[in-house]
Amino acid sequence: METEFAVLAASGATTLVSLMVTDSWGQARALVGRLFSRTGAGSTTVADLDADRARLLAGDADDTQATREVEDRWRADLYRLLQTDSVTVDDLYGVLSSLQQLVNTSAARPVPVHNAISGGVQHGPVIQSGRITGLTFHVHGPGLPVQD
């Protein structure tokens, strides 16, 4: 049973932390907050969730150390939650299933990005990563025709 607790807590923590930096965070926060409220630690836990989310949002996108620390913290909290008798494995499976649906929904909705560079002559590279589709350049300058 301890192994099942550890695996479930690790999976839950990874999923939870991945949702902290998405638009689905509000729903994930509510689900996890309700789960922890069964132990009487609801408001403290929600504040902790918000603090960890703020930490991840304030850091670099590649800050793996912060992500690892936040995941470790929530893995331990979820493991302890399972060891209390206020939450069952089935309860956590249910929440984890709902969180995973949020992850899948967040991944399925790409967000369009529109970049505009203006204000005179720009000397330097422009870098955009990810899948690039529908790329259009509007070039204006002396002696150059306007292209649309």
Side-chain angles (χ1 to χ4, degrees):
M1 192 63 130
E2 295 298 314
T3 303
E4 183 180 16
F5 284 3
V7 170
L8 192 56
S11 179
T14 301
T15 304
L16 177 63
V17 172
S18 70
L19 284 166
M20 285 184 175
V21 293
T22 69
D23 290 338
S24 298
W25 174 242
Q27 293 169 295
R29 177 183 181 266
L31 286 166
V32 175
R34 279 193 300 270
L35 184 71
F36 275 94
S37 70
R38 296 179 189 182
T39 65
S43 61
T44 302
T45 302
V46 169
D48 294 339
L49 286 166
D50 290 340
D52 284 339
R53 178 176 194 253
R55 177 180 177 196
L56 294 176
L57 291 175
D60 294 334
D62 294 330
D63 192 354
T64 55
Q65 178 67 27
T67 302
R68 188 173 26 252
E69 288 172 3
V70 171
E71 277 184 23
D72 289 346
R73 182 262 164 95
W74 288 104
R75 180 176 28 257
D77 284 355
L78 290 171
Y79 186 82
R80 277 192 298 277
L81 186 66
L82 284 169
Q83 289 179 321
T84 69
D85 288 329
S86 56
V87 173
T88 67
V89 169
D90 289 340
D91 293 334
L92 188 53
Y93 269 126
V95 170
L96 184 55
S97 175
S98 296
L99 292 176
Q100 192 59 51
Q101 287 176 348
L102 289 174
V103 168
N104 294 338
T105 302
S106 294
R109 291 183 297 170
V111 177
V113 175
H114 302 281
N115 295 320
I117 300 171
S118 63
V121 177
Q122 307 295 322
H123 298 281
V126 175
I127 301 171
Q128 181 172 338
S129 66
R131 186 176 9 180
I132 300 172
T133 60
L135 187 62
T136 305
F137 288 98
H138 301 278
V139 180
H140 307 276
L144 296 174
V146 175
Q147 299 174 352
D148 284 323

